[in-house]
Every structure is written in structure tokens, then in C-alpha cells.
Amino acid sequence: MRSDRAKIGVDRAPHRSLMKASGYTDWEIERPWIGVVNAYNMIIPGHVHLKRIVEAVKAGVYAAGGLPIEFPVIGVCDGIAMNHVGMKYSLPSREVIMDSIEIMTQGHALDALVMVTNCDKIIPGMAMAAAYLNIPSIVVSGGPMLAGLHNGRDIDLSTVFETVGKRMAGTVSDEELLEIENAACPGCGSCAGMFTANTMNCMMEALGIGLPGNGTIPAVYSERDRLAKDAGRKIMELVERNIKPRDILTREAFENAIAVDLALGGSTNTTLHLPAIAHWAGLELPLDLFNSIGERVPHLCSMSPAGSHHIQDLYRAGGVQAVMARLAGGGLLHENCLTVTGKTVKDNLKGVWVKDETVIRPLETPYHKQGGLAFVKGSLAPLGGIVKQSAVAPEMLVHTGPARCFNSEEEAYAAIQAQAIQDGDVVVIRYEGPKGGPGMREMLSPTSALAGMGKDKTVALVTDGRFSGATRGAAIGHVSPEAAAGGPIALVRDGDLIRVDIPAKKLDLLVDEAELERRRAELKPYVQPVESLFLNRYRRSVTSGTTGAVME
């Protein structure tokens, strides 16, 4: 065992003495050392209950003969960080989480990891650590929040953001906004739609490094505690059989995850996080895969923000495993992939069936024939950009309009608040990429405000930043190269025509090349200024959004 280097032999008496100072007995020290990573904090609603989940994991580890050793990691709540400088820290926190897990694991010679997480960057940060360290590992979600209820309909956090837009437009009162604010998030868990947190928890299950049920069992259900106990027991089996993350995280497993993502209509942020996890597993995951797989895999689930269903509905319909069973039935999955159950995908899916076909549609009658995400390229995005095509109004799938350019989210949001954006416009928000921002901010506030005003059906938005999984509309993010790297998005001027053609996977700036070359010669280097040693270090080493925004 790896932990032997810290506990076996005469010269390790001081090490054992320190363990005994923590209350561990000789017979406990002899057990495998299982790191239990706890992302608990008191501000993220998806994490406020993780002490309970961690205790269940530790009980499972201990019952199966391991020594659970708990340690913490940080986390950012993207909703609370939204639309201010705090969001610059969210994506960079992913790398800090990965690095801190490496430090704790290597510094203390841990044998395996159970990583308890729930929200946007914490989930991929933990999965990246698992892929890089390559010791037996399981990711355990804290589970989704239940949807709120207002006037007889289910609502969630995206409802609040969009109601702000309605309030700006004068179509709702302060009193109704307050009612929705109070009702939308009724308790602990990751926000109830198919936003980034829940999408990534589903991806852990689809990849095979989370147990079946990981993505959809609600946070407040006792079944979530039972899954955590099972994860604690299962990690001991993985240690015994020496099953490591890279045995599970194969190219085929990532193709399975993309297929599930496209069927669910998941967050655009998966196109950042799946390539980043693959990178640390020693694989390349080109974003063209989202298109090639999406041509075969239909969009089967209409989840919030694009549809009316929430994660609790998907759970009742059979969860991620039911989606996988449906895809497998059409020959759309690699069924021989190994998972943390110790069994293959095919074995896990035995006896699994779809319990509600209004939530998980048949392959023959999908919501859309192509998957929920599209990777677009063109003269405005030579390296590509990403859009949640399942959340785009049909009339905006193809759109040509004049650019309205802004060099920060704040500038764009102020114009939207002032109702200065006209029908037909293409809002361009630049210098918000990984380097330019820095930190590639999510921009739910501008997109939600436009949607709340009803302009998601008349206005497109293009950015080198990114969007929340709660975004809907013709919002194309991750445009690369980013403006700070001299990409064409830096050359756009007000009034330039931009053509969005999502079915053709195209995003073009309709300005002739000679004019663009003239502008390029005049372009002065620019990044958003920040007073942060950490963020300035990050911007110097981070890569493009199309390669997962990993750090070199």
C-alpha cells in the first residue's frame, strides 16, 4: 500500500506517533488510508449538508476495513459569484482544488480517495485530481436541490435571474420578484435544473467514476446517504482489485459521457470540464466530438432551463442509468467500459428501464434529432465556440445582425439594464476569456435579463467568456482564440454584421479580410486589469477554452 511509506518500519515510529496523537490506534493505522475529501462550506447551498454525506462515506469505509481520513477543499458558489468580480475566481478555483487534493494525497501517502462534492468547479476539480493521481477513487455527489414552487409551477434559480429581466422590463412587480426569490431555492443541494453542477454530477455517473444514482438522487433523500455509505464500502473493493481512474476514464468512457450529455441537453461547461479531465487522464478530447456524436445521439430530455423538467423528475424517470439504457438500446454507448461498481456499463444497466417517457423520450420521438450542444467554427471563431442548441428558439438558429460590442460583462449588462439592446442585435462581450477576464466568467445575468425581456427570441449573444448551465437563448460562448490572444472577436466593431448558423455549425464575422488585417495592425493589446496576484498568475499559464482552460 502507498501508506506503507508513512507507517511501516522502525524509522516510521515518529510518523505513527503523530497518527496516535490524532487518536488512531495501531490496528487502525494498519488499515488502508482512504482520503475523504470534503467540500463542505457554509455558503454554497449544494455543500451546506456535506458533513452528513461525508459521515456516511466514512461509515462505509470504516465498516469495510479502511481508515477514513477526512480533509477539506475550497469551493465557489457560481450563483453568488455571478455578475461581479467574484466570478473571475470560479474557474481558476478548479485548478486550486485539483492541486490541493494532490498535495494532501501525496503529502500523507493516501491509498485511495472518496471525493464528496456537489457544485460547478468542485466536481471537475476533484475528477481532474483523480485522473492525475490515478489511485483508486470515487466521486460522490451531495445531490440536487428540489425545485421550488410558485403559483402551482416548479421554479428554480434561473427563474429568479429571468424575473430580474422581467422587472427591468416592468412586466413584474417588486412583490412578485420577492415571492419568486423566496420560493425558488427551497433547501440544500445543487440548483434544481440541468445546470453545470447537476450536469457534471451526471457526467461522473456516465463516465463511470460515480456510482449509479450519483447524478439525480435528491440531496434531502435518505437514499443519498445510503449511496454515500455504499461508496465508502466500494472504495475498499477498488483498493483490493487495484482499479484506478485511468482504467475507467478511457476514450470510450468519455464518448459515453458526451452521448449522455447530449441526450440530457446539459450545460455548455461540460465542453470545458470533460476535456480538462481527459487531459489529466492522458487523453485528448477534441470538441468536434460533440458534433459527430450529436449527429447520432438525439436530445431526449427537456430539462430546465430549456424545458420544464427538473432533476427530481429525471430521478423519478430512472435517472442517468435509464438515459444510458435508452442509448444503449440504440447502440449509442460503449457498453464494455469499466466503472467504479467494479462492473461494466452493460452489467450496471441490467434490469434498468425508463419509468416516464415524458421525461426521457424514446429515440424515435426526441425533442431534437441532434444532441443538445453544438460546436461552431468560422471567421469569428477559428478555433471554435459552443452553444446549447437545445435551448435556442427555432427562429434564432440562423440569425444575422449588427454587432453591439462590449469589453466586459459589466458594460454589456448596463446596456441591457438601460434597454439599449435592439431586436436583431448581436451582443458581443469580449475580454472575458480565460486570459482576458481573467477566469472566463459565467454570464448568466446578461442572458437571463435578455430572456426575461423576451429578447432571447430576437437577440444573439457571442462571447469569449462562458455561460451558466442555466443560460438559454442564442448564446455562443468559449469563442476562441479569445480577444486577449488577438482572436477575431477583438476586431469586431459596432455595426459589423455577424452571422450565426447553428445548424451549419458556423459563426462568421461578415467583414472582408483586408479590413480585418487593417484593424489587426491597429489593435492594441488589452486584458481586463485585476488587482490579484493569483488571477494574474492564472492568466499567464491558462490555455484556451477549447482545450479545457487547463493550466500549462
Side-chain angles (χ1 to χ4, degrees):
M1 291 187 294
R2 285 164 46 91
S3 58
D4 287 351
R5 69 183 71 162
K7 67 185 181 187
I8 298 298
V10 172
D11 58 348
R12 293 298 182 258
H15 304 61
R16 294 191 296 272
S17 181
L18 289 168
M19 291 293 287
K20 289 174 181 178
S22 297
Y24 299 121
T25 65
D26 284 320
W27 54 268
E28 287 176 310
I29 295 169
E30 290 170 1
R31 294 178 168 206
W33 291 4
I34 311 300
V36 181
V37 189
N38 187 356
Y40 163 81
N41 62 51
M42 293 178 67
I43 192 165
I44 305 179
H47 289 211
V48 294
H49 64 301
L50 291 189
K51 287 182 179 180
R52 183 192 103 217
I53 305 300
V54 163
E55 288 304 314
V57 168
K58 288 158 60 178
V61 169
Y62 206 82
L67 178 62
I69 299 175
E70 178 185 341
F71 63 89
V73 292
I74 63 166
V76 172
C77 177
D78 280 17
I80 298 173
M82 198 72 67
N83 199 26
H84 60 87
V85 69
M87 182 51 77
K88 293 178 183 288
Y89 290 85
S90 177
L91 184 59
S93 75
R94 186 187 70 177
E95 320 310 300
V96 174
I97 290 161
M98 174 185 166
D99 291 346
S100 65
I101 293 171
E102 177 190 357
I103 290 167
M104 289 296 294
T105 301
Q106 301 289 43
H108 302 102
L110 303 180
D111 295 303
L113 294 166
V114 181
M115 296 180 280
V116 182
T117 177
N118 217 22
C119 289
D120 294 33
K121 308 309 165 298
I122 302 93
I123 303 161
M126 290 190 176
M128 289 158 60
Y132 176 66
L133 292 167
N134 201 33
I135 61 174
S137 301
I138 296 177
V139 177
V140 178
S141 160
M145 185 185 295
L146 296 175
L149 192 66
H150 180 254
N151 290 341
R153 71 183 182 101
D154 286 344
I155 62 172
D156 55 42
L157 183 65
S158 66
T159 313
V160 188
F161 274 95
E162 292 188 12
T163 305
V164 170
K166 293 178 181 179
R167 179 64 189 86
M168 290 178 190
T171 58
V172 301
S173 65
D174 288 337
E175 290 75 19
E176 184 174 359
L177 175 58
L178 181 59
E179 286 179 11
I180 290 172
E181 173 187 330
N182 289 338
C185 299
C188 65
S190 46
C191 298
M194 190 54 73
F195 313 146
T196 303
N198 286 323
T199 303
M200 288 309 300
N201 280 327
C202 291
M203 291 301 94
M204 297 301 100
E205 190 173 337
L207 281 169
I209 60 170
L211 290 175
N214 182 75
T216 59
I217 299 170
V220 294
Y221 285 15
S222 63
E223 187 180 353
R224 175 61 57 182
D225 300 70
R226 298 197 298 272
L227 180 139
K229 289 179 183 177
D230 287 340
R233 288 173 57 85
K234 187 59 66 174
I235 194 65
M236 299 307 297
E237 179 183 329
L238 299 185
V239 170
E240 178 68 24
R241 295 175 59 185
N242 197 31
I243 296 175
K244 300 175 181 177
R246 294 191 193 182
D247 300 322
I248 294 167
L249 296 174
T250 62
R251 170 64 177 253
E252 291 76 17
F254 281 99
E255 290 181 0
N256 283 350
I258 291 172
V260 173
D261 188 17
L262 295 171
L264 291 172
S267 167
T268 53
N269 283 308
T270 56
T271 65
L272 278 177
H273 300 320
L274 290 177
I277 297 165
H279 173 80
W280 295 114
L283 302 169
E284 288 188 10
L285 201 68
L287 294 185
D288 298 85
L289 273 175
F290 282 82
N291 288 345
S292 59
I293 294 174
E295 290 173 0
R296 297 181 289 109
V297 174
H299 175 219
L300 301 179
C301 303
S302 185
M303 309 294 295
S304 174
S308 60
H309 293 137
H310 291 84
I311 305 300
Q312 64 204 45
D313 302 309
L314 182 59
Y315 164 74
R316 287 193 290 264
V320 172
Q321 295 297 300
V323 175
M324 294 179 74
R326 177 130 290 170
L327 295 175
L332 298 172
L333 283 188
H334 302 287
E335 295 188 69
N336 290 324
C337 292
L338 183 64
T339 74
V340 290
T341 66
K343 301 175 182 178
T344 64
V345 168
K346 184 176 182 178
D347 291 333
N348 290 344
L349 295 180
K350 288 178 181 177
V352 174
W353 54 286
V354 174
K355 299 174 183 178
D356 187 341
E357 293 198 336
T358 66
V359 178
I360 306 171
R361 283 193 173 181
L363 295 173
E364 298 75 22
T365 56
Y367 286 97
H368 300 93
K369 291 182 179 179
Q370 292 191 347
L373 300 179
F375 180 59
V376 299
K377 283 187 175 181
S379 60
L380 187 54
L383 297 180
I386 199 76
V387 60
K388 184 187 280 194
Q389 62 182 354
S390 61
V392 178
E395 55 266 45
M396 290 299 294
L397 289 169
V398 178
H399 176 78
T400 301
R404 293 289 310 280
C405 299
F406 304 94
N407 289 345
S408 71
E409 178 188 6
E410 287 84 356
E411 290 180 14
Y413 191 62
I416 294 168
Q417 281 183 306
Q419 301 190 51
I421 304 302
Q422 305 302 314
D423 291 343
D425 284 349
V426 179
V427 176
V428 176
I429 307 178
R430 58 195 174 193
Y431 297 104
E432 288 287 3
K435 292 180 182 294
M440 203 178 187
R441 284 193 284 185
E442 283 187 356
M443 288 180 277
L444 178 57
S445 292
T447 57
S448 295
L450 289 170
M453 295 173 176
K455 291 187 178 294
D456 57 309
K457 296 179 174 64
T458 61
V459 171
L461 195 153
V462 175
T463 182
D464 53 9
R466 62 195 177 91
F467 301 112
S468 165
T471 289
R472 62 185 175 95
I476 300 173
H478 307 199
V479 168
S480 296
E482 62 175 291
I489 192 171
L491 307 178
V492 184
R493 293 184 178 176
D494 283 348
D496 288 348
L497 290 181
I498 292 174
R499 181 168 176 80
V500 176
D501 190 339
I502 294 171
K505 312 296 190 291
K506 295 286 289 180
L507 177 63
D508 289 309
L509 174 60
L510 304 183
V511 176
D512 68 71
E513 189 57 38
E515 171 62 15
L516 292 179
E517 282 302 317
R518 187 183 68 79
R519 294 180 188 180
R520 188 171 284 112
E522 297 174 352
L523 185 67
K524 296 179 180 179
Y526 175 77
V527 293
Q528 289 189 29
V530 291
E531 295 182 5
S532 167
L533 291 173
F534 167 67
L535 289 177
N536 281 310
R537 286 199 306 270
Y538 176 82
R539 79 175 358 146
R540 287 194 296 269
S541 59
V542 69
T543 63
S544 164
T546 55
T547 55
V550 295
M551 293 178 68
E552 293 176 331

